[in-house]
Amino acid sequence: MSDRLSFHVQRDSFLHRLNPLTKLTLAFALVVVAFVLPFYWTPIFVLFAVIVPLSVSGKIFREFSWAALRLILPAVGFLFVMQALFQPIGEQVVFKFYFLDATTESVAYAFRNAARIFVMISAFTLFLLSTHPSELMSDLTRRGLPSQFSYVVISTLQIIPQMQAKANAIIAAQRSRGLDTESSFLKRAGALGPLVGPLVFGSLVEVEERAIAIEARGFTSKRAKTSLYEIADSKFESVLRWSLVALVVLSIGLNLWHS
Amino acid sequence: MAFVNVRNLTYAYPLTKQPALQDINLQIEEGEFVALIGANGAGKSTLCYALAGFVPHFFKGELQGEVEADGKLSSQSTLSEWTLNVGLTFQNPFNQISGAKYTVFEEIAFGLENIGVPREEIKVRVEEALALTDIRELARRSPYSLSGGQQQRVALTSILVMRPKLLVLDEPTSQMDPVGAKEVFSAVRKLAQEGMTVVMAEHKTEWIARFADRVVALKEGRILMQGAPREVLTSDLLFENGFGVSRYTSAAREARRRGLWTKKSLPVSLDEAAEGFGAIR
């Protein structure tokens, strides 16, 4: 069993060394640009001219393409088919499936939307692959994000796999006492109660104990927190972030002017 | 004046009528190592929570009397102020892992980050604490990948690194093997000698007899008796009240009843039992 829930892949690359906030800003900026710039091929350009080269130079191309092909493409492909068939625009039919028509316009519309969604998910995949969650949260907490918020995010990432392990243990325990979890749907649905009950109530007790444990270690202390790790940030990255913000503003402006 | 003063403490958890603690009076000197014994439900954990400030700051309910440590009253401090001086670990190590950190080293540093210790000092203190509990080889592991005994050591280390003046341990060795448990007792003894005040709820009477300065026996929320470990652990009062003391003491008590045990005192360790039984011819 994996003992953590994180997409992060440890590599030594310039992308990994960037400050987490810079990468987060970049991901947001790419998404906004792909969505609002009023040029049809923008999302495709962003994908192949920015995201793919970044994944190569970040030494995570293999993991990135695996995620793109196995996770993003099927979801986006489904979206494309649905929009192409159901979008009631255009007249020139290029494909007919019973009563469903795909027109040149609906296909073009669906393609642009699918490409935008593809950019959105892949930009954040790139971000998650190259950024350690605790580094991100330490950096954001240092910049003023409430520590309670970052605690909830990080502990959820870590506790989900533990909950899965516990659920498996409860399933094994209940099955050894004769609970049927493999036959008909109805029987399996009925078996949910004895499985979910102990998991939920057990977790509630755990929450109380964990609260005591972190409280005993000064979690609510009023003193300014420090961090074990120094997270690199530079003047250059600050300039880069503000440039990305400017790019976003410019794209939105261009969109408004164009429309 | 004693470092810890518990005065007329009576406490009942919310929605319960039966108090978990009744009229507890306890004084503990600085650098003293006090062991709490008693059956499950005797009030050991509640007394630990009261000493660590979680009663009444975390667990509400009805409280009378007061807990004072290092000249301050727990009722007049906030929990975060109180925990700067008083450290607590409890039985289930899994739930003591913060969940916010990915390695044991980071986990132990968590408390120091919270109270704003500078980065370089954090590193030094974590290294020292890892050495103290002998878990340096676990530093790079995920806290969730460890065994129960190892997690208990990490939980203990996470509190020790905060350098509390009063250390409250609620069954800190419950998931450890005998060697690990002995090492923890021995490390705690050393800390007490260096001036840390320790209160430990435990069942392992053989180690208590060897390492603690004083034993406090609790029954149904009240202090039944307290005193030097040997005096308490071999007393008839404890035996009559059904306390599970060491098998060496129980065996010798039975031998005495049959007129075989001739020594004046009952044994609390294997060596003493061997010597006493060896004298029976």
Coordinates of all heavy atoms in Angstrom, one line a residue, chain A residues 142-206:
Chain A
R142 N 3.9 30.5 5.0 CA 4.8 31.5 5.2 C 4.3 32.9 4.7 O 4.6 33.9 5.2 CB 6.1 31.1 4.5 CG 7.3 32.0 4.8 CD 8.5 31.3 4.2 NE 8.4 31.2 2.7 CZ 8.9 32.0 1.8 NH1 9.6 33.1 2.2 NH2 8.8 31.8 0.5
R143 N 3.5 32.8 3.6 CA 3.0 34.0 2.9 C 1.7 34.4 3.5 O 1.0 35.3 3.0 CB 2.8 33.7 1.4 CG 4.1 33.5 0.7 CD 3.9 33.2 -0.8 NE 5.0 32.6 -1.4 CZ 6.0 33.3 -2.0 NH1 6.0 34.6 -2.0 NH2 7.0 32.6 -2.5
G144 N 1.2 33.7 4.6 CA 0.1 34.2 5.3 C -1.2 33.4 5.2 O -2.2 33.7 5.8
L145 N -1.1 32.2 4.5 CA -2.3 31.3 4.5 C -2.4 30.7 5.9 O -1.4 30.3 6.6 CB -2.0 30.1 3.5 CG -3.1 29.1 3.3 CD1 -4.1 29.7 2.3 CD2 -2.6 27.8 2.8
P146 N -3.6 30.6 6.5 CA -3.8 30.1 7.9 C -3.2 28.7 8.0 O -3.5 27.9 7.1 CB -5.3 30.1 8.1 CG -5.8 31.1 7.1 CD -4.9 31.1 5.9
S147 N -2.5 28.4 9.0 CA -1.9 27.1 9.1 C -2.9 26.0 9.3 O -2.7 24.8 8.9 CB -0.9 27.1 10.3 OG -1.6 27.4 11.5
Q148 N -4.1 26.3 9.8 CA -5.1 25.3 9.9 C -5.5 24.8 8.5 O -5.8 23.6 8.3 CB -6.4 25.9 10.6 CG -6.3 26.0 12.1 CD -5.6 27.3 12.6 OE1 -5.0 28.0 11.7 NE2 -5.7 27.6 13.8
F149 N -5.6 25.7 7.6 CA -6.0 25.4 6.2 C -5.0 24.4 5.6 O -5.3 23.4 5.1 CB -6.1 26.7 5.4 CG -6.5 26.4 4.0 CD1 -7.9 26.1 3.6 CD2 -5.6 26.3 3.0 CE1 -8.2 25.9 2.3 CE2 -5.9 26.0 1.6 CZ -7.3 25.8 1.3
S150 N -3.7 24.8 5.7 CA -2.7 23.9 5.1 C -2.6 22.6 5.8 O -2.4 21.5 5.2 CB -1.3 24.6 5.1 OG -0.9 25.0 6.3
Y151 N -2.9 22.6 7.1 CA -2.9 21.3 7.9 C -4.0 20.4 7.3 O -3.8 19.2 7.1 CB -3.1 21.5 9.4 CG -3.2 20.2 10.1 CD1 -2.1 19.5 10.4 CD2 -4.5 19.7 10.5 CE1 -2.2 18.3 11.1 CE2 -4.6 18.5 11.1 CZ -3.4 17.8 11.4 OH -3.5 16.6 12.0
V152 N -5.2 20.9 7.1 CA -6.3 20.1 6.6 C -5.9 19.5 5.2 O -6.1 18.3 5.0 CB -7.6 21.0 6.5 CG1 -8.7 20.3 5.7 CG2 -8.1 21.3 7.9
V153 N -5.3 20.3 4.4 CA -5.0 19.8 3.0 C -4.0 18.7 3.1 O -4.2 17.6 2.6 CB -4.4 21.0 2.1 CG1 -3.9 20.4 0.8 CG2 -5.5 22.0 1.9
I154 N -2.9 18.9 3.8 CA -1.8 17.9 3.9 C -2.3 16.7 4.6 O -2.0 15.6 4.2 CB -0.6 18.5 4.6 CG1 0.0 19.7 3.8 CG2 0.5 17.5 4.8 CD1 0.7 19.3 2.5
S155 N -2.9 16.8 5.8 CA -3.3 15.7 6.5 C -4.3 14.8 5.8 O -4.3 13.6 5.8 CB -3.8 16.0 7.9 OG -4.9 16.8 7.8
T156 N -5.2 15.5 5.0 CA -6.2 14.7 4.2 C -5.4 13.9 3.2 O -5.7 12.7 3.0 CB -7.1 15.6 3.5 OG1 -7.7 16.5 4.4 CG2 -8.2 14.9 2.8
L157 N -4.4 14.5 2.5 CA -3.6 13.7 1.5 C -3.0 12.5 2.1 O -2.9 11.4 1.5 CB -2.5 14.6 0.9 CG -3.0 15.7 0.0 CD1 -1.8 16.5 -0.5 CD2 -3.7 15.1 -1.2
Q158 N -2.6 12.6 3.4 CA -1.9 11.5 4.0 C -2.9 10.5 4.7 O -2.6 9.3 4.8 CB -1.0 12.0 5.1 CG 0.2 12.7 4.5 CD 1.5 12.4 5.3 OE1 2.0 11.4 5.2 NE2 1.9 13.3 6.2
I159 N -4.0 11.0 5.1 CA -4.9 10.1 5.9 C -5.8 9.3 5.0 O -6.1 8.1 5.4 CB -5.6 11.0 7.0 CG1 -4.6 11.4 8.1 CG2 -6.8 10.2 7.6 CD1 -5.1 12.4 9.0
I160 N -6.0 9.7 3.8 CA -6.9 8.9 2.9 C -6.3 7.5 2.7 O -7.0 6.5 2.9 CB -7.2 9.6 1.6 CG1 -8.1 10.8 1.8 CG2 -7.7 8.7 0.5 CD1 -8.4 11.7 0.6
P161 N -5.0 7.3 2.4 CA -4.5 6.0 2.2 C -4.6 5.2 3.5 O -4.8 3.9 3.5 CB -3.0 6.2 1.9 CG -2.9 7.5 1.3 CD -4.0 8.3 2.0
Q162 N -4.5 5.8 4.7 CA -4.6 5.1 6.0 C -6.0 4.7 6.2 O -6.3 3.6 6.7 CB -4.2 6.0 7.2 CG -2.9 6.7 7.0 CD -1.8 5.8 6.7 OE1 -1.7 4.7 7.3 NE2 -0.9 6.2 5.8
M163 N -7.0 5.5 5.7 CA -8.4 5.1 5.9 C -8.7 3.9 5.0 O -9.4 3.0 5.3 CB -9.3 6.3 5.4 CG -9.3 7.5 6.3 SD -10.5 7.3 7.6 CE -12.0 7.7 6.7
Q164 N -8.1 3.9 3.8 CA -8.3 2.8 2.9 C -7.8 1.5 3.5 O -8.4 0.5 3.5 CB -7.5 3.0 1.5 CG -8.2 4.0 0.6 CD -7.4 4.4 -0.6 OE1 -6.2 4.3 -0.5 NE2 -8.0 4.9 -1.6
A165 N -6.6 1.6 4.2 CA -6.0 0.4 4.8 C -7.0 0.0 5.9 O -7.2 -1.2 6.1 CB -4.7 0.8 5.4
K166 N -7.5 0.9 6.7 CA -8.4 0.6 7.8 C -9.7 -0.1 7.2 O -10.2 -1.1 7.8 CB -8.7 1.8 8.6 CG -9.5 1.5 9.8 CD -9.7 2.7 10.6 CE -8.6 3.0 11.6 NZ -8.8 4.1 12.5
A167 N -10.2 0.5 6.1 CA -11.4 -0.1 5.5 C -11.1 -1.5 5.1 O -12.0 -2.4 5.4 CB -11.8 0.7 4.3
N168 N -10.0 -1.8 4.5 CA -9.6 -3.2 4.2 C -9.6 -4.1 5.4 O -10.0 -5.2 5.3 CB -8.3 -3.2 3.4 CG -8.4 -2.6 2.0 OD1 -9.5 -2.6 1.5 ND2 -7.3 -2.1 1.5
A169 N -9.0 -3.6 6.5 CA -8.9 -4.4 7.7 C -10.3 -4.7 8.2 O -10.6 -5.8 8.6 CB -8.1 -3.6 8.7
I170 N -11.2 -3.7 8.2 CA -12.6 -3.9 8.7 C -13.3 -4.9 7.7 O -14.0 -5.8 8.2 CB -13.4 -2.6 8.7 CG1 -12.8 -1.7 9.8 CG2 -14.9 -2.8 9.1 CD1 -13.3 -0.3 9.8
I171 N -13.1 -4.8 6.4 CA -13.7 -5.7 5.5 C -13.2 -7.2 5.8 O -14.0 -8.1 5.9 CB -13.4 -5.4 4.0 CG1 -14.1 -4.1 3.6 CG2 -13.8 -6.5 3.1 CD1 -13.8 -3.5 2.3
A172 N -11.9 -7.3 6.0 CA -11.4 -8.6 6.3 C -12.0 -9.2 7.6 O -12.3 -10.3 7.7 CB -9.8 -8.6 6.4
A173 N -12.1 -8.3 8.6 CA -12.6 -8.7 9.9 C -14.0 -9.1 9.8 O -14.4 -10.2 10.4 CB -12.4 -7.6 10.9
Q174 N -14.8 -8.4 9.1 CA -16.3 -8.7 9.0 C -16.5 -9.9 8.1 O -17.4 -10.7 8.4 CB -17.1 -7.5 8.4 CG -16.9 -6.2 9.1 CD -17.5 -6.2 10.5 OE1 -17.4 -7.1 11.3 NE2 -18.2 -5.1 10.9
R175 N -15.6 -10.1 7.1 CA -15.8 -11.3 6.2 C -15.4 -12.5 7.0 O -16.0 -13.6 6.8 CB -14.9 -11.2 5.0 CG -15.6 -10.4 3.9 CD -14.7 -10.0 2.8 NE -14.3 -11.1 2.0 CZ -13.5 -10.9 0.9 NH1 -13.1 -9.7 0.6 NH2 -13.1 -11.9 0.2
S176 N -14.4 -12.4 7.9 CA -14.0 -13.6 8.7 C -15.1 -14.0 9.6 O -15.2 -15.1 10.2 CB -12.7 -13.3 9.4 OG -13.0 -12.5 10.5
R177 N -16.1 -13.0 9.9 CA -17.2 -13.4 10.7 C -18.5 -13.6 9.9 O -19.6 -13.5 10.3 CB -17.5 -12.2 11.7 CG -16.5 -12.1 12.8 CD -16.8 -11.1 13.8 NE -16.1 -9.8 13.5 CZ -16.4 -8.7 14.1 NH1 -17.4 -8.6 14.9 NH2 -15.7 -7.6 13.8
G178 N -18.2 -13.9 8.6 CA -19.3 -14.4 7.7 C -20.1 -13.3 6.9 O -21.1 -13.6 6.3
L179 N -19.6 -12.1 6.9 CA -20.3 -11.1 6.1 C -20.1 -11.3 4.7 O -18.9 -11.5 4.2 CB -19.8 -9.7 6.5 CG -20.6 -8.5 6.0 CD1 -21.9 -8.4 6.7 CD2 -19.8 -7.2 6.0
D180 N -21.2 -11.3 3.9 CA -21.1 -11.5 2.5 C -20.8 -10.3 1.7 O -21.6 -9.3 1.7 CB -22.4 -12.1 2.0 CG -22.3 -12.6 0.6 OD1 -21.3 -12.5 -0.1 OD2 -23.4 -13.2 0.1
T181 N -19.6 -10.2 1.1 CA -19.3 -9.0 0.3 C -19.0 -9.3 -1.1 O -18.6 -8.4 -1.9 CB -18.0 -8.3 0.9 OG1 -17.0 -9.3 0.8 CG2 -18.2 -7.8 2.3
E182 N -19.3 -10.5 -1.6 CA -19.0 -10.8 -2.9 C -20.2 -11.3 -3.8 O -20.0 -11.4 -5.0 CB -17.9 -11.9 -2.9 CG -16.6 -11.3 -2.7 CD -15.5 -12.3 -2.6 OE1 -15.8 -13.5 -2.4 OE2 -14.3 -11.9 -2.6
S183 N -21.3 -11.6 -3.2 CA -22.4 -12.1 -4.1 C -23.2 -11.0 -4.7 O -22.7 -10.0 -5.2 CB -23.3 -13.1 -3.3 OG -23.9 -12.4 -2.2
S184 N -24.6 -11.1 -4.7 CA -25.4 -10.2 -5.5 C -25.3 -8.7 -5.0 O -24.9 -8.4 -3.8 CB -26.9 -10.6 -5.3 OG -27.4 -10.2 -4.1
F185 N -25.7 -7.8 -5.8 CA -25.6 -6.4 -5.5 C -26.4 -6.0 -4.2 O -25.8 -5.3 -3.4 CB -26.2 -5.6 -6.7 CG -26.2 -4.1 -6.4 CD1 -25.1 -3.3 -6.5 CD2 -27.4 -3.4 -6.1 CE1 -25.1 -2.0 -6.2 CE2 -27.5 -2.1 -5.8 CZ -26.3 -1.4 -5.9
L186 N -27.6 -6.6 -4.1 CA -28.4 -6.2 -2.9 C -27.7 -6.7 -1.6 O -27.6 -6.0 -0.6 CB -29.7 -6.9 -3.0 CG -30.8 -6.1 -3.7 CD1 -32.1 -6.8 -3.7 CD2 -31.0 -4.7 -3.1
K187 N -27.1 -7.9 -1.7 CA -26.4 -8.4 -0.5 C -25.2 -7.5 -0.2 O -24.9 -7.3 1.0 CB -26.0 -9.9 -0.7 CG -27.1 -10.8 -0.5 CD -26.6 -12.2 -0.3 CE -27.7 -13.2 0.1 NZ -27.4 -14.6 -0.1
R188 N -24.5 -7.1 -1.2 CA -23.3 -6.3 -1.0 C -23.7 -4.9 -0.4 O -23.0 -4.4 0.4 CB -22.5 -6.2 -2.3 CG -21.6 -7.4 -2.5 CD -20.8 -7.2 -3.7 NE -21.6 -7.2 -4.9 CZ -21.2 -6.6 -6.1 NH1 -20.1 -6.0 -6.1 NH2 -22.0 -6.7 -7.1
A189 N -24.8 -4.4 -1.0 CA -25.3 -3.1 -0.4 C -25.6 -3.3 1.0 O -25.3 -2.4 1.9 CB -26.5 -2.6 -1.2
G190 N -26.3 -4.4 1.4 CA -26.6 -4.6 2.8 C -25.4 -4.8 3.7 O -25.4 -4.5 4.9
A191 N -24.3 -5.2 3.1 CA -23.1 -5.4 3.8 C -22.4 -4.1 4.2 O -21.4 -4.1 5.0 CB -22.1 -6.3 3.1
L192 N -22.8 -3.0 3.5 CA -22.1 -1.7 3.7 C -22.2 -1.2 5.1 O -21.2 -0.7 5.6 CB -22.7 -0.7 2.8 CG -22.0 -0.4 1.4 CD1 -22.8 0.6 0.7 CD2 -20.6 0.0 1.7
G193 N -23.4 -1.4 5.8 CA -23.6 -0.9 7.1 C -22.5 -1.4 8.1 O -21.8 -0.5 8.7
P194 N -22.3 -2.7 8.2 CA -21.2 -3.1 9.2 C -19.8 -2.7 8.8 O -18.9 -2.8 9.6 CB -21.4 -4.7 9.1 CG -22.7 -4.9 8.5 CD -23.1 -3.8 7.7
L195 N -19.7 -2.3 7.5 CA -18.3 -1.8 7.1 C -18.1 -0.3 7.4 O -17.1 0.1 7.9 CB -18.1 -2.1 5.6 CG -18.2 -3.5 5.2 CD1 -17.9 -3.7 3.7 CD2 -17.2 -4.4 6.0
V196 N -19.2 0.4 7.0 CA -19.0 1.9 7.1 C -19.1 2.4 8.6 O -18.4 3.2 9.0 CB -20.1 2.6 6.3 CG1 -20.2 4.1 6.5 CG2 -19.9 2.3 4.8
G197 N -20.0 1.7 9.4 CA -20.2 2.1 10.8 C -18.8 2.2 11.5 O -18.4 3.3 12.0
P198 N -18.1 1.1 11.6 CA -16.9 1.1 12.4 C -15.9 2.1 11.8 O -15.1 2.8 12.5 CB -16.3 -0.3 12.2 CG -17.4 -1.1 11.9 CD -18.4 -0.3 11.1
L199 N -15.9 2.3 10.5 CA -14.9 3.2 9.9 C -15.2 4.6 10.2 O -14.3 5.4 10.6 CB -15.0 3.0 8.3 CG -13.9 3.7 7.5 CD1 -12.5 3.1 7.8 CD2 -14.2 3.6 6.0
V200 N -16.5 5.0 10.2 CA -16.9 6.4 10.5 C -16.7 6.7 12.0 O -16.0 7.7 12.3 CB -18.3 6.7 10.0 CG1 -18.8 8.0 10.5 CG2 -18.4 6.6 8.5
F201 N -17.2 5.8 12.8 CA -17.1 6.1 14.2 C -15.7 6.0 14.7 O -15.2 6.9 15.5 CB -18.0 5.2 15.1 CG -19.5 5.5 14.8 CD1 -20.3 4.5 14.2 CD2 -20.0 6.7 15.1 CE1 -21.7 4.8 14.0 CE2 -21.3 7.0 14.9 CZ -22.2 6.1 14.3
G202 N -14.9 5.1 14.2 CA -13.5 5.0 14.5 C -12.8 6.2 14.2 O -12.0 6.8 14.9
S203 N -13.1 6.8 13.0 CA -12.5 8.0 12.5 C -12.8 9.2 13.4 O -11.9 10.0 13.6 CB -12.9 8.3 11.1 OG -12.5 7.2 10.3
L204 N -14.0 9.3 13.9 CA -14.4 10.4 14.7 C -13.6 10.4 16.0 O -13.2 11.4 16.5 CB -15.9 10.3 15.0 CG -16.8 10.7 13.9 CD1 -18.3 10.5 14.2 CD2 -16.6 12.1 13.4
V205 N -13.4 9.2 16.6 CA -12.6 9.1 17.8 C -11.2 9.5 17.5 O -10.5 10.2 18.3 CB -12.6 7.6 18.3 CG1 -11.6 7.4 19.5 CG2 -14.0 7.3 18.8
E206 N -10.7 9.1 16.4 CA -9.3 9.4 16.0 C -9.1 10.9 15.8 O -8.1 11.4 16.2 CB -9.0 8.8 14.6 CG -8.5 7.4 14.8 CD -8.2 6.8 13.4 OE1 -8.0 7.5 12.5 OE2 -8.1 5.5 13.4

